[in-house]
């Protein structure tokens, strides 16, 4: 089933990328500190950032999901990406946020939104994620989301740690969290989305 956008959380809005997002996302992808542990570890040129956005738009059309634009609700600023890329064995979760937004719990917040979509409307059976072992902050985010360490691998020509979460793991974790908090609502899609 198709996802209705935007996806919403308390502080964030998530929607598919648009061609007019090229410049805004380049402020993130062009930052060497942000990109140090992403993909091959290099800051992107403006052309490379535009190509990534165009690839995300096409991936969304082909698969019904992709890496999506993350918008800060209080400012309307595009502050990064989060979402999934299709792989031979399923889909891989990832995110990239602007450096000025680090340390505020936004990666975990947007991760919850994305995983709710993955295991809700998209009915994905599971997700993988890879983290450079020199990036413990991202490993902590995955742990908070319920991913489990699943071994070592080589991605983007360097060692990574692979993580895994299944739909069943997510449902058990979500049901337990809702039971403990008394929460009866729905975390994910915005009810008035287009």
């Amino acid at each position: 089933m198709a996802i209705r956008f935007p996806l919403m959380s308390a502080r964030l809005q998530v929607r598919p990328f648009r061609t007019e997002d090229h410049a805004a996302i380049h402020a993130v992808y062009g930052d060497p500190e942000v990109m140090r542990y992403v993909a091959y570890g290099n800051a992107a040129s403006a052309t490379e950032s535009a190509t990534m956005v165009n690839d995300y738009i096409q991936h969304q059309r082909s698969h019904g999901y992709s890496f999506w634009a993350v918008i800060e609700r209080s400012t309307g600023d595009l502050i990064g990406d989060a979402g999934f890329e299709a792989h031979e064995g399923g889909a891989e979760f990832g995110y990239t946020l602007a450096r000025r937004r680090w340390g505020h719990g936004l990666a975990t917040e947007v991760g919850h939104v994305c995983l709710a979509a993955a295991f809700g409307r998209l009915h994905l059976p599971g997700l993988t994620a890879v983290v450079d072992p020199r990036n413990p902050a991202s490993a902590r985010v995955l742990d908070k989301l319920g991913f489990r360490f699943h071994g070592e691998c080589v991605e983007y020509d360097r060692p990574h740690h692979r993580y895994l979460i299944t739909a069943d793991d997510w449902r058990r974790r979500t049901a337990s969290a809702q039971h403990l908090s008394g929460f009866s609502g729905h975390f994910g899609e915005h009810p008035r989305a287009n």
Side-chain angles (χ1 to χ4, degrees):
M1 283 194 116
I3 296 176
R4 296 186 321 168
F5 291 98
L7 307 179
M8 304 287 269
S9 69
R11 296 178 290 174
L12 303 172
Q13 173 181 305
V14 178
R15 61 158 173 80
F17 273 99
R18 305 168 184 152
T19 54
E20 59 266 28
D21 294 328
H22 291 173
I25 198 62
H26 181 61
V28 179
Y29 296 164
D31 183 336
E33 184 66 16
V34 170
M35 299 303 286
R36 181 170 46 151
Y37 301 123
V38 177
Y40 292 97
N42 303 314
S45 68
T47 300
E48 289 167 334
S49 294
T51 298
M52 285 189 271
V53 168
N54 294 337
D55 288 348
Y56 299 155
I57 293 168
Q58 184 55 48
H59 195 283
Q60 179 69 33
R61 288 185 189 129
S62 299
H63 299 281
Y65 61 85
S66 185
F67 283 100
W68 299 315
V70 178
I71 311 298
E72 187 174 53
R73 292 177 66 182
S74 64
T75 63
D77 292 345
L78 193 159
I79 61 166
D81 71 46
F84 320 105
E85 182 177 29
H87 283 264
E88 188 175 319
E92 183 175 294
F93 168 72
Y95 65 90
T96 307
L97 295 178
R99 188 180 352 167
R100 68 189 186 283
R101 298 308 198 276
W102 293 355
H104 300 286
L106 295 177
T108 304
E109 186 172 325
V110 78
H112 279 290
V113 171
C114 290
L115 269 61
F119 299 132
R121 301 288 287 183
L122 291 171
H123 303 289
L124 297 178
L127 294 168
T128 61
V130 295
V131 175
D132 186 308
R134 299 168 298 170
N135 187 6
S138 281
R140 284 192 297 276
V141 168
L142 294 178
D143 182 60
K144 290 176 188 175
L145 293 172
F147 281 83
R148 290 173 297 170
F149 179 72
H150 199 63
E152 298 179 354
C153 61
V154 175
E155 297 280 345
Y156 308 105
D157 299 330
R158 64 180 194 274
H160 279 75
H161 289 167
R162 184 174 301 282
Y163 290 80
L164 175 69
I165 187 171
T166 67
D168 288 341
D169 292 338
W170 171 257
R171 286 187 193 98
R172 279 192 295 274
R173 185 178 179 88
T174 303
S176 175
Q178 288 176 354
H179 173 74
L180 291 173
S181 69
F183 177 69
S184 60
H186 173 109
F187 200 152
E189 293 185 43
H190 190 270
R192 299 182 339 144
N194 295 332

